[in-house]
Amino acid sequence: MNDMKMNGMETIDPVWAWQPYQPSADQTWDRRSAAHLFRRAGFGTDLARIDESVKRSPADVVGELVAGNQEPSEFRSTAEALAEATLAGGDPAKLSAAWVYRLLYTPNQLLEKTTLLWHGHFSTGAEKVQDARMMWNQNQLLRDHALGDFAAMVHEISQDPAMLIYLDSAINRKAHPNENFARELMELFCLGEGNYSEADVLELARCFTGWEIKNKKFRKNRYQHDSDEKNVLGQTGAFDGEDGVRIVLEQPAAPLFVARKLVRFFVCDEPSPSDAMLQPLADLFRESDLQVAPVVQRILGSNVFFSSMSVAQKIKSPVELVIGMLRSLKATTNAGLVADGLLSIGQGLFYPPNVKGWDGGRAWINSSTLLGRANLMADILDNDSTRFDGKSLSEYLRGQDVETTDQAIEYFEHCLLAVRLSEEAKAQLRETAASHSGDRERRMRSLLHAVTSLPVCQLC
Amino acid sequence: MIDRPRLSELALSGMLVIAAYVAWPCDASAEPPRGADCVTSELLPQSIIACAEISDVGGVLETVLNHPLRAKLEAMPAYDGFMASGAPGQLQMGLRAFEASMGKPWQEALDTLTDRGVTVALDASDGGVAILVHSSEAELLERFRGFILALRQMQGATAKQGDYRGFMADLVGDDVKLVRMHDWLLVTNNSELGKSIIDQYLDRDDETLASHETYLAARKNLEGSAEHRVVSAFLDIKTLRDAGVAKDIFAEKIDNFVGEVALGGVLANLRHTPYVTGQFHLTTAGLSLQLTAPHQREWEAPREYFFGEPELAAAPPLLNVPNRVFALSTHRDLSQMWLRAGELLTEKGNDQLAVADTTLTTFFSGRDFGEDILGSLDSDVQLVGMEQDFSDVLPQPAIKLPAFALQFRMKDAAETKPELRRIFQSFVGFLNVVGAMNGQPPLDLGMESIGEADLVTATYVPDRDERESRSAKIQFNFSPTVAFDGDRIIIASSTPIARKLIEPNSDSENTNGVEDAVQDSNTAARLDVTPLKRILESNRSQLVANSMLEKGHGKEAAEAEIGLLLELLGFFRDVGLNLDVTDSQMALQVAVDVEADTEVQK
Amino acid sequence: MQISTNQSRRRFLRSSIGGAAAIGVGANLPSCFAQAASGSGGSDERILVVVQMSGGNDGLNTIVPYADDDYRSARPKLAIPSDEVLTFDDDNGFHPSMTGMHELLQDGQFAAVRSVGYEQPNRSHFESMDIWHTCRRKDEPRPDGWLGRFLDQQPVTAGGDVPALHLGREQQPAAVASSSIRVPTVKELSEFQLRGNDKQSLRKLLEKRQPTSTAGDNQLLNFLQSSTTSAIAASQRVTEAAQGYRSEVKYPETDLGNKLRVVAQLIDAGLTTRIYYVQHDGFDTHAQQAQTHSILLRQWSDAVSALVRDLDDHDHEKRVCVMTFSEFGRRVSENASAGTDHGAAGPMFLCGGGVKAGITGKRPNLTDLQEGDLKHEYDFRQVYASVLKDWLGTDPTPILGKQYKSLSLFA
């Protein structure tokens, strides 16, 4: 708990924290802060775009990112056609590759990043659901609301076939109310532990009786619905499932709970901020009728987001590491390879580990995943299909006027690292690069492999 | 952007030319030694276990470049797209630089560089490989060396050189070295091998491959018509075997039953035969590869199931159906093989087989699979695949697969037919029970008769809201069917192909040219490219998606790639494969026919 | 050359640390030495290797009541002839394939518990396996498995070696599902090693802590740096263990044999992983059981006894226990296809230097059956409880949901 003092999140003034960031001599708006914004609001972008953004105001750039809350129809139709083609085979693992493709090509990184957030939040695993199309439909649902209406998202997720199958709630009879979904709705999706009682779980479960999945579709079985009076979270009435969701979302704990999730996702892994710190965001969330975009916009444009409490204060998820490297160098590669690799290092898309989703932070890291991260990078850089803006890495870098090892180290530092390298670290990298006898392409790829395997590159 | 490549292209050419000329004078000192006038095998040590001689590179280039397909290729829109994509720009640039350093057009340069032969040789030790290029113009070889070195430098690799007995060796790859010895150019990844070749070149006093017994026998085997032959190769199996290389191939028994069915006899032959020779032919009409090895019947006892008993047996004719994609016929006594698996397979293989036997015997209602089921069938195995017509069919699967059918002859149809029919019916019932647990659509059993023939069919029943679907599950490619016609039993993946095989008006066993060729073959197969191309066409969106996912292409690039691929496929007519066995020889032949005489359509 | 020096260096460190500790100067050693030494085999935490026989093992033909007439009359085709049984007392013996286990029993390294099961047995593979994995019935939520809950109870060790490993290509068993830790599924040893053209130089780069300008005040970076150096050290140990691994024991060339050899190498490399999980499939012998069952038992017995012998040779026998179970036994009477159908209670097995050798439980009563199946004498959670309490040293009650009476299975 030393960390908390180090980080300073506890002593910070909540009003200052969420006020719009104004560049100052202390906190300049430069390549580093712009790259930070792009890494957090997405996965990362190439240096040209970073440099172009530095010329504009941070608020302007954040505004543009948040405004991309729907996919352009052309990209959406390409991505959907791709997903449809993979669905024909019926294998959810292939679907994972189709999402990787989307992450690599999307013009709206913030939308995909937020979709990924909700995928972990409303955790549903294909291993149990087994049906690729259901997983895909849920994914579209999350994307449609990712930066939109949180309440609508919860209402739809509570009738989503993949979710209900995942939570063993495909059948919910009057005589045996299934508590599973009711419990997760409050504990994991909307309120958090401590904001409801066991009695509330029982009563809420009664609201959902009769909700079932038949032939892969949601339906309300009125013969199995308990139409008697219930007492949920202090309200009394003959509630049905929709009422249940509405009542949960009306709780004061709800906006605070979601704000905490968003701050942990966008700002820093640890320590967990105090309620007081989150209150301004929770208020904003409630005022905007649980619209996600305004809160995300406030966070990404805030003082605290650009402060030392946030920069380099997250551990990259596997997706952030891999997609980040690729997008920062305009690279494309074999999406299936990436999808399988992500699964092996702990973040298989459509394969979250359990109902809680990915814990994130330090839980990403152990000796097996660290080796796995370095090895996945090796596999990607060894793969013939890996191209950088359609070129080899050395050609791409040459186009950026990067010719020497020193220039390359500096280039990678700017687009991939949240923390500056010390001179000694650079010397070590130079030494590593010098130990290769291969041609320039091989040396550049080795250097990139080394940089992405460094502990510092695991920071976001 | 447009200026960049041109500039660098000029610079590259310039540098390469300069480099090539700078490299030139240093050669003047080397006198042609005694080795200058020998054939390649006289330079190679006896430890060489494989070598391939490529003759007439110029002729190959001429055949390829003047081929009618070339005009067709260049007329394709996809080709234009490819050229415009910039990818070939580098190739063009490289070629131009090559021409500049060689001082003549690239075809001519290549022709002259290689006019006395190119040989690739593999050494028994440490995977050493040597490539020897023999040219009538030593000067051109030196320019080529300069070109390669300059290219390395352009790529940013550091130059490394070494000297052996007056010859300069340059490092041109991870551990690949390049040496010019007067009118020879030697490229090798193994210093010891390189040294021994140079020694031989200078001293000419050692035992060489040219005096090696096996090599001589193999050479003799390769004599005869060399017309259109571009590669002739030799592989010393005996040495390879004795050296313990590729133990898996030479192991007395293998793990895998399917492998044994397909290749058991071939692998058995490889355990005894001294060498294999290979020939590669190229003509305007196509290309072919022939591998030949000495063979003797008594080398291996327990493989009668493969070669036939008491004498060599031939495969039955290739089956024919409309829109056939492939056909394969072979002689295999599967029952004998299953029962003798104890002698044929490894312990591990037999363990697996025993487990499979338990499962299959469960499926086949307690009948012993090897003895009762396989034992009721003759040794003629015929497999055929067909493009399926989905134009009037609903639901239509999103991925469209070919249908295939396996045909056997029953030894005693009256006995076997009712039994296998019952087994099929209970098997379908079993699938329905298992499938229902896994959310698979159910199968509906049916019976039909065509003339004297009986069919037992099983059809997938779609969900109510998927009856009209055009993107149905992959299962809707299948309607498992068993057909009985006289002594024939046909096990088919779909009902239509079974019908085609028994409809009396379709000559399912026609005997035109191709089928005749089967007569002497143990195994024959043929792939028809046109229907294959149509199947791929109908799955184009899947292929495009795959290309996007696996290559990371954008949509347009993926569509262009698949378009080009399908167009290119159209250049081929068919692929034939034959395994011919005689009392003294075993030969495997693969021939690819191209559409040589197509008119260019504008 | 290099391999053997590394090997001997490790040996040297191990023995010198041991020696130093013995004379009470351990605390004075530089900490890096102590760490290296504890990594290379000094760890003394106990390890559990779980072997799952998938498909339902026929317990009656595994531990055979060969003198029981009821056995012979229930199994006219499948009963093992008395003269083939590897006997261990007047009434009971092992299936003839189990020579390895027979020797382990004689050497005091084998224990079995007979007639293990649970109330109201379920005869579906999936359902019964889920019950064994999670200790819960279908109508209860079961987000995690019993081993996963054990892992949840252990002190958090983010950044170090994974606390449990599943080896194989199958889907991960629910037994290791945990709410706090993701257990990796590993297909081969190479996943513990750096790959790629530049692995040597990369290892050199990563094995030292990188100096960074802000490392001092970034806790996450400190954490990542120490995790990376320890990951590289662990991978180096695994590489050395794999390269320099000398074993007098010949593992069978089977999938299970290969997996258990990897387990031995990882244990010998000093990974702090405490749970290894492997699966051995194919026991669903409805027809022509005799040959298949004999093969499966031989594969299991040979591989597990090889592992135990190998661990003996490398001085790990006192800290590794191999536990084998199956989701159910099989019907007492054979069926018409010379096979057996899904049953209920069956035996469990524990092997290793720490077990109390012998057979626990009575000879199954073949006349007092429930729906044709053996009744259970012990609940499987009693065996789990013994393993958790007496072997892994933890309180079993919160893991198993209630208190189960443990058995005396460990020495």
Side-chain angles (χ1 to χ4, degrees):
Chain A
M1 304 304 99
N2 257 338
D3 317 3
M4 290 198 192
K5 281 183 205 125
M6 290 290 188
N7 193 289
M9 192 66 120
E10 288 293 285
T11 54
I12 197 174
D13 170 13
V15 179
W16 172 86
W18 306 116
Q19 269 169 356
Y21 156 63
Q22 296 296 344
S24 66
D26 261 2
Q27 293 191 344
T28 50
W29 171 240
D30 53 13
R31 268 187 174 181
R32 186 165 172 244
S33 39
H36 168 68
L37 173 62
F38 281 106
R39 266 196 300 277
R40 292 291 177 81
F43 305 96
T45 193
D46 64 302
L47 218 47
R49 177 141 185 230
I50 291 172
D51 286 343
E52 178 252 333
S53 302
V54 170
K55 296 186 191 126
R56 298 158 57 198
S57 82
D60 192 20
V61 178
V62 170
E64 186 189 67
L65 288 172
V66 177
N69 58 5
Q70 289 298 331
E71 286 177 307
S73 57
E74 191 189 354
F75 179 72
R76 188 174 176 104
S77 69
T78 301
E80 281 176 3
L82 190 63
E84 282 300 326
T86 56
L87 284 173
D91 178 5
K94 276 273 167 60
L95 201 57
S96 180
W99 196 358
V100 166
Y101 189 88
R102 206 165 196 154
L103 296 172
L104 281 177
Y105 275 88
T106 180
N108 307 86
Q109 290 199 31
L110 178 59
L111 180 67
E112 277 321 299
K113 184 123 188 200
T114 321
T115 307
L116 185 58
L117 162 71
W118 299 128
H119 175 44
H121 185 81
F122 298 106
S123 172
T124 305
E127 216 148 46
K128 179 150 178 187
V129 176
Q130 300 239 323
D131 187 296
R133 184 166 296 277
M134 275 186 205
M135 293 305 295
W136 167 244
N137 289 343
Q138 187 194 68
N139 189 245
Q140 290 289 61
L141 182 169
L142 297 175
R143 185 170 292 104
D144 287 345
H145 298 297
L147 285 166
D149 184 346
F150 182 75
M153 180 153 58
V154 178
H155 273 286
E156 289 183 28
I157 209 83
S158 64
Q159 305 188 355
D160 176 60
M163 169 61 76
L164 294 186
I165 288 174
Y166 185 65
L167 290 181
D168 295 312
S169 302
I171 299 171
N172 200 353
R173 294 173 192 283
K174 187 157 52 176
H176 299 281
N178 186 325
E179 292 172 28
N180 217 2
F181 180 72
R183 180 183 303 279
E184 305 308 11
L185 179 68
M186 292 191 286
E187 181 189 334
L188 297 175
F189 301 161
C190 297
L191 303 178
E193 243 175 326
N195 292 305
Y196 57 90
S197 68
E198 281 304 304
D200 290 324
V201 174
L202 277 167
E203 292 292 289
L204 185 59
R206 289 177 55 215
C207 301
F208 291 115
T209 47
W211 284 24
E212 61 186 33
I213 304 301
K214 204 84 191 220
N215 282 331
K216 303 180 183 176
K217 292 188 181 61
F218 174 79
R219 70 168 197 184
K220 294 175 185 169
N221 181 343
R222 60 196 166 94
Y223 303 108
Q224 288 298 342
H225 181 64
D226 177 349
S227 49
D228 290 351
E229 197 165 80
K230 295 115 188 161
N231 191 330
V232 183
L233 293 161
Q235 299 191 31
T236 309
F239 300 129
D240 62 9
E242 274 99 352
D243 295 323
V245 174
R246 175 182 53 77
I247 292 166
V248 169
L249 288 170
E250 280 167 10
Q251 300 302 304
L256 206 60
F257 179 76
V258 175
R260 185 178 300 281
K261 191 96 181 194
L262 290 171
V263 168
R264 174 134 199 263
F265 190 74
F266 286 110
V267 180
C268 63
D269 282 340
E270 49 193 46
S272 189
S274 64
D275 287 358
M277 169 85 180
L278 295 170
Q279 201 56 53
L281 293 179
D283 293 343
L284 174 64
F285 196 29
R286 180 62 81 200
E287 283 157 23
S288 49
D289 285 332
L290 303 188
Q291 290 290 321
V292 178
V295 185
V296 170
Q297 181 158 11
R298 173 75 65 89
I299 293 172
L300 294 178
S302 69
N303 277 321
V304 75
F305 179 78
F306 287 99
S307 75
S308 62
M309 276 158 274
S310 171
V311 177
Q313 294 298 334
K314 269 181 76 70
I315 289 177
K316 276 181 189 157
S317 68
V319 171
E320 285 170 326
L321 176 74
V322 176
I323 305 292
M325 182 279 277
L326 293 166
R327 294 223 52 154
S328 300
L329 298 167
K330 296 187 104 169
T332 51
T333 188
N334 181 334
L337 171 75
V338 173
D340 293 350
L342 290 173
L343 180 64
S344 75
I345 56 174
Q347 199 180 17
L349 299 176
F350 297 108
Y351 292 88
N354 52 47
V355 288
K356 280 165 48 197
W358 294 284
D359 286 341
R362 296 186 188 220
W364 289 125
I365 302 299
N366 59 50
S367 57
S368 134
T369 57
L370 277 172
L371 290 170
R373 284 178 176 221
N375 285 340
L376 178 56
M377 281 298 176
D379 291 349
I380 291 172
L381 292 172
D382 273 353
N383 194 288
D384 287 338
S385 62
T386 306
R387 307 289 288 169
F388 300 80
D389 201 12
K391 309 183 192 75
S392 72
L393 178 60
S394 53
E395 284 167 24
Y396 174 76
L397 290 174
R398 191 178 290 140
Q400 312 285 312
D401 293 319
V402 173
E403 302 267 357
T404 66
T405 303
D406 280 8
Q407 288 168 338
I409 292 175
E410 199 187 321
Y411 190 83
F412 293 148
E413 184 181 9
H414 280 300
C415 58
L416 298 174
L417 303 183
V419 175
R420 303 282 299 181
L421 290 170
S422 67
E423 280 312 311
E424 295 119 290
K426 286 184 186 170
Q428 287 181 5
L429 281 171
R430 271 194 291 273
E431 202 180 308
T432 306
S435 64
H436 294 283
S437 61
D439 56 23
R440 183 181 293 123
E441 178 64 18
R442 280 270 295 275
R443 285 208 307 273
M444 288 300 172
R445 289 196 181 211
S446 287
L447 187 62
L448 179 54
H449 184 209
V451 170
T452 52
S453 305
L454 289 175
V456 64
C457 193
Q458 317 309 311
L459 284 178
C460 191
Chain B
M1 272 315 283
I2 293 171
D3 279 342
R4 247 191 110 80
R6 282 207 194 135
L7 247 173
S8 59
E9 178 190 324
L10 263 177
L12 174 68
S13 317
M15 281 183 63
L16 289 171
V17 172
I18 293 165
Y21 276 94
V22 168
W24 164 238
C26 74
D27 174 66
S29 57
E31 275 292 304
R34 290 188 286 167
D37 215 31
C38 61
V39 295
T40 318
S41 57
E42 292 173 301
L43 291 183
L44 294 170
Q46 292 212 324
S47 55
I48 292 296
I49 46 165
C51 70
E53 289 163 34
I54 304 155
S55 47
D56 197 16
V57 175
V60 173
L61 279 177
E62 203 176 304
T63 310
V64 172
L65 293 175
N66 297 330
H67 198 278
L69 283 180
R70 189 183 174 201
K72 203 180 165 199
L73 177 73
E74 287 172 359
M76 278 175 2
Y79 180 81
D80 290 340
F82 176 68
M83 294 305 285
S85 73
Q90 291 184 317
L91 184 71
Q92 287 291 340
M93 202 166 90
L95 271 184
R96 232 157 301 149
F98 178 69
E99 289 181 338
S101 359
M102 294 293 116
K104 48 177 93 182
W106 65 271
Q107 295 100 319
E108 201 183 313
L110 267 183
D111 190 12
T112 315
L113 275 173
T114 60
D115 58 1
R116 297 180 69 187
V118 178
T119 302
V120 184
L122 175 72
D123 196 75
S125 56
D126 305 333
V129 174
I131 301 172
L132 276 161
V133 180
H134 200 186
S135 172
S136 58
E137 280 188 41
E139 183 213 356
L140 202 63
L141 280 180
E142 182 56 31
R143 287 191 184 200
F144 179 68
R145 176 175 160 259
F147 171 74
I148 294 290
L149 295 183
L151 203 65
R152 282 288 289 171
Q153 216 169 351
M154 295 284 306
Q155 289 169 340
T158 34
K160 276 187 189 165
Q161 276 193 330
D163 178 9
Y164 181 71
R165 297 186 67 181
F167 292 114
M168 198 59 80
D170 295 287
L171 196 69
V172 294
D174 278 348
D175 38 26
V176 178
K177 297 180 192 73
L178 179 103
V179 188
R180 187 179 70 87
M181 298 121 58
H182 194 63
D183 55 357
W184 293 89
L185 192 74
L186 164 65
V187 184
T188 181
N189 63 350
N190 184 310
S191 303
E192 292 312 310
L193 178 60
K195 284 177 187 170
S196 93
I197 290 171
I198 293 174
D199 287 342
Q200 195 58 35
Y201 178 75
L202 293 172
D203 309 334
R204 305 258 0 240
D205 55 4
D206 234 351
E207 296 267 281
T208 68
L209 189 63
S211 57
H212 193 279
E213 198 182 327
T214 319
Y215 178 75
L216 288 173
R219 279 244 53 108
K220 204 152 179 249
N221 191 286
L222 281 170
E223 278 170 11
S225 163
E227 206 190 354
H228 302 304
R229 181 161 84 195
V230 288
V231 180
S232 44
F234 144 79
L235 180 62
D236 184 345
I237 297 286
K238 185 173 178 303
T239 309
L240 215 56
R241 220 164 33 218
D242 296 347
V245 188
K247 283 197 183 91
D248 289 344
I249 294 176
F250 301 120
E252 197 168 337
K253 295 171 174 180
I254 63 171
D255 288 343
N256 181 325
F257 185 79
V258 177
E260 177 66 35
V261 170
L263 291 170
V266 176
L267 293 176
N269 199 51
L270 285 181
R271 283 195 283 280
H272 297 273
T273 200
Y275 61 83
V276 173
T277 59
Q279 303 182 59
F280 186 73
H281 292 88
L282 181 74
T283 65
T284 310
L287 36 98
S288 71
L289 171 75
Q290 186 177 23
L291 299 173
T292 318
H295 166 69
Q296 279 170 32
R297 192 68 205 266
E298 59 268 26
W299 276 346
E300 279 277 331
R303 280 184 173 78
E304 289 90 355
Y305 84 91
F306 193 96
F307 295 112
E309 199 182 44
E311 53 198 12
L312 288 173
L318 291 172
L319 291 172
N320 206 353
V321 286
N323 298 322
R324 182 178 79 179
V325 183
F326 68 88
L328 183 145
S329 290
T330 186
H331 172 92
R332 293 290 182 276
D333 188 337
L334 297 177
S335 172
Q336 278 302 307
M337 186 189 156
W338 189 273
L339 296 173
R340 286 195 203 176
E343 309 165 47
L344 297 169
L345 298 183
T346 57
E347 194 179 329
K348 191 176 168 191
N350 270 306
D351 283 359
Q352 286 166 356
L353 200 65
V355 175
D357 195 62
T358 302
T359 317
L360 286 168
T361 304
T362 310
F363 280 155
F364 289 101
S365 327
R367 306 287 295 173
D368 186 275
F369 181 70
E371 204 161 326
D372 299 337
I373 307 294
L374 292 179
S376 65
L377 306 173
D378 263 339
S379 307
D380 288 348
V381 185
Q382 291 166 291
L383 181 67
V384 65
M386 175 182 106
E387 179 197 0
Q388 303 203 69
D389 180 7
F390 288 106
S391 43
D392 300 325
V393 181
L394 284 176
Q396 221 174 70
I399 297 176
K400 297 175 183 66
L401 301 175
F404 50 88
L406 196 55
Q407 174 173 304
F408 292 98
R409 305 254 166 206
M410 292 174 284
K411 288 174 182 161
D412 180 353
E415 176 90 10
T416 307
K417 180 178 160 181
E419 178 129 35
L420 290 181
R421 189 171 55 203
R422 269 198 308 279
I423 287 172
F424 180 71
Q425 286 164 339
S426 53
F427 181 65
V428 169
F430 172 80
L431 283 184
N432 275 341
V433 173
V434 175
M437 289 194 280
N438 299 322
Q440 307 290 352
L443 283 162
D444 192 22
L445 265 178
M447 305 280 261
E448 64 182 70
S449 295
I450 302 173
E452 297 290 298
D454 294 325
L455 286 80
V456 190
T457 65
T459 318
Y460 278 107
V461 184
D463 282 352
R464 185 168 307 184
D465 53 354
E466 281 173 18
R467 283 180 195 162
E468 308 276 296
S469 170
R470 286 174 190 278
S471 56
K473 286 183 173 181
I474 202 158
Q475 280 92 336
F476 289 92
N477 279 288
F478 303 107
S479 45
T481 296
V482 175
F484 301 93
D485 181 24
D487 64 346
R488 292 195 295 159
I489 171 171
I490 294 158
I491 302 154
S493 73
S494 76
T495 313
I497 190 172
R499 288 194 196 116
K500 288 281 180 255
L501 282 169
I502 43 181
E503 271 164 15
N505 51 353
S506 83
D507 48 358
S508 59
E509 291 187 24
N510 78 15
T511 47
N512 62 35
V514 188
E515 280 71 11
D516 278 347
V518 173
Q519 293 309 315
D520 301 328
S521 297
N522 170 281
T523 303
R526 193 181 145 118
L527 178 73
D528 298 298
V529 176
T530 312
L532 176 68
K533 186 184 159 199
R534 283 199 304 266
I535 293 176
L536 293 175
E537 284 281 5
S538 60
N539 291 304
R540 187 187 274 257
S541 63
Q542 306 293 330
L543 296 174
V544 169
N546 230 24
S547 159
M548 289 166 77
L549 291 179
E550 284 182 6
K551 303 238 173 87
H553 283 323
K555 191 164 183 238
E556 289 76 28
E559 277 169 350
E561 189 201 21
I562 298 302
L564 182 64
L565 198 88
L566 289 172
E567 293 268 16
L568 288 178
L569 199 59
F571 289 179
F572 297 94
R573 188 177 289 155
D574 54 49
V575 180
L577 178 146
N578 286 68
L579 177 69
D580 295 323
V581 184
T582 68
D583 286 336
S584 62
Q585 177 171 284
M586 181 181 277
L588 182 73
Q589 197 150 7
V590 182
V592 180
D593 288 345
V594 297
E595 299 280 354
D597 41 26
T598 12
E599 290 291 305
V600 178
Q601 287 171 0
K602 282 277 172 188
Chain C
M1 282 307 280
Q2 199 189 352
I3 296 163
S4 60
T5 40
N6 281 337
Q7 187 74 3
S8 55
R9 185 183 58 81
R10 292 195 309 114
R11 291 257 153 79
F12 162 75
L13 276 176
R14 203 189 293 175
S15 59
S16 61
I17 294 290
I23 53 169
V25 295
N28 294 333
L29 277 167
S31 62
C32 62
F33 273 72
Q35 195 183 358
S38 74
S40 40
S43 165
D44 54 1
E45 290 219 277
R46 282 172 169 177
I47 292 170
L48 178 68
V49 182
V50 178
V51 179
Q52 170 181 311
M53 292 173 159
S54 310
N57 174 42
D58 182 13
L60 275 183
N61 272 12
T62 308
I63 299 183
V64 184
Y66 67 95
D68 188 338
D69 292 338
D70 295 324
Y71 168 67
R72 302 219 164 266
S73 56
R75 300 281 178 96
K77 290 199 199 110
L78 290 181
I80 311 286
S82 300
D83 56 347
E84 290 177 19
V85 172
L86 307 170
T87 59
F88 56 77
D89 63 31
D90 291 344
D91 297 318
N92 304 290
F94 289 146
H95 186 283
S97 285
M98 290 165 53
T99 48
M101 291 297 167
H102 197 228
E103 285 160 19
L104 282 187
L105 175 64
Q106 286 159 356
D107 295 352
Q109 302 207 71
F110 174 96
V113 187
R114 300 178 89 170
S115 308
V116 185
Y118 52 90
E119 293 293 338
Q120 297 172 352
N122 188 301
R123 287 172 186 79
S124 146
H125 292 292
F126 309 106
E127 184 49 31
S128 190
M129 195 58 98
D130 278 352
I131 291 169
W132 279 80
H133 281 165
T134 63
C135 305
R136 300 202 171 121
R137 305 295 297 216
K138 195 174 190 165
D139 49 1
E140 301 164 275
R142 32 188 193 196
D144 45 22
W146 73 284
L147 292 168
R149 292 193 290 274
F150 163 72
L151 298 175
D152 289 342
Q153 285 199 344
Q154 301 304 301
V156 182
T157 52
D161 293 336
V162 290
L165 266 182
H166 167 234
L167 274 105
R169 295 172 188 280
E170 309 91 350
Q171 190 174 331
Q172 193 168 87
V176 295
S178 137
S179 55
S180 64
I181 293 155
R182 189 190 67 94
V183 173
T185 288
V186 170
K187 295 178 194 75
E188 52 205 2
L189 199 62
S190 68
E191 289 175 46
F192 290 94
Q193 295 158 2
L194 285 175
R195 279 200 295 273
N197 302 317
D198 42 11
K199 57 186 174 207
Q200 297 300 344
S201 59
L202 188 64
R203 180 171 58 74
K204 265 182 75 179
L205 176 72
L206 296 179
E207 71 191 357
K208 296 187 288 266
R209 272 179 95 90
Q210 267 85 42
T212 34
S213 44
T214 55
D217 51 9
N218 189 326
Q219 295 295 321
L220 288 178
L221 185 53
N222 281 333
F223 162 77
L224 283 166
Q225 288 186 323
S226 60
S227 304
T228 303
T229 46
S230 68
I232 295 298
S235 122
Q236 190 59 12
R237 292 196 311 270
V238 171
T239 307
E240 283 173 19
Q243 287 171 345
Y245 197 74
R246 290 198 193 81
S247 169
E248 300 296 312
V249 175
K250 196 174 170 316
Y251 285 84
E253 286 292 327
T254 55
D255 282 348
L256 187 65
N258 292 336
K259 284 189 236 179
L260 292 182
R261 178 169 41 216
V262 171
V263 169
Q265 288 174 351
L266 294 176
I267 290 173
D268 196 53
L271 287 198
T272 57
T273 303
R274 295 195 66 193
I275 309 287
Y276 294 90
Y277 201 107
V278 300
Q279 296 173 42
H280 182 34
D281 199 354
F283 286 87
D284 197 17
T285 47
H286 285 283
Q288 305 295 335
Q289 172 180 303
Q291 195 183 5
T292 297
H293 193 234
S294 158
I295 290 167
L296 291 167
L297 285 181
R298 171 160 46 77
Q299 290 175 342
W300 166 71
S301 165
D302 287 359
V304 171
S305 55
L307 173 67
V308 171
R309 300 284 176 206
D310 195 14
L311 293 170
D312 286 352
D313 291 351
H314 289 85
D315 301 331
H316 301 300
E317 76 276 13
K318 289 289 178 208
R319 58 187 207 97
V320 183
C321 170
V322 186
M323 182 188 97
T324 305
F325 79 100
S326 189
E327 72 266 38
F328 41 62
R330 304 193 77 81
R331 189 71 35 96
V332 170
S333 299
E334 67 186 33
N335 63 23
S337 315
T340 52
D341 299 323
H342 300 181
M348 282 179 81
F349 311 95
L350 298 163
C351 304
V355 306
K356 189 163 125 193
I359 314 293
T360 302
K362 295 188 284 285
R363 195 177 79 192
N365 185 336
L366 303 192
T367 51
D368 178 25
L369 303 175
Q370 50 178 357
E371 298 167 42
D373 290 333
L374 298 176
K375 290 182 177 168
H376 72 275
E377 182 181 359
Y378 301 104
D379 190 284
F380 67 96
R381 281 155 290 207
Q382 290 181 264
V383 182
Y384 287 0
S386 321
V387 170
L388 288 166
K389 181 161 88 62
D390 299 335
W391 187 251
L392 295 171
T394 194
D395 178 7
T397 311
I399 293 172
L400 303 177
K402 69 177 212 199
Q403 200 166 352
Y404 288 90
K405 189 170 177 286
S406 66
L407 310 169
S408 172
L409 298 173
F410 295 96

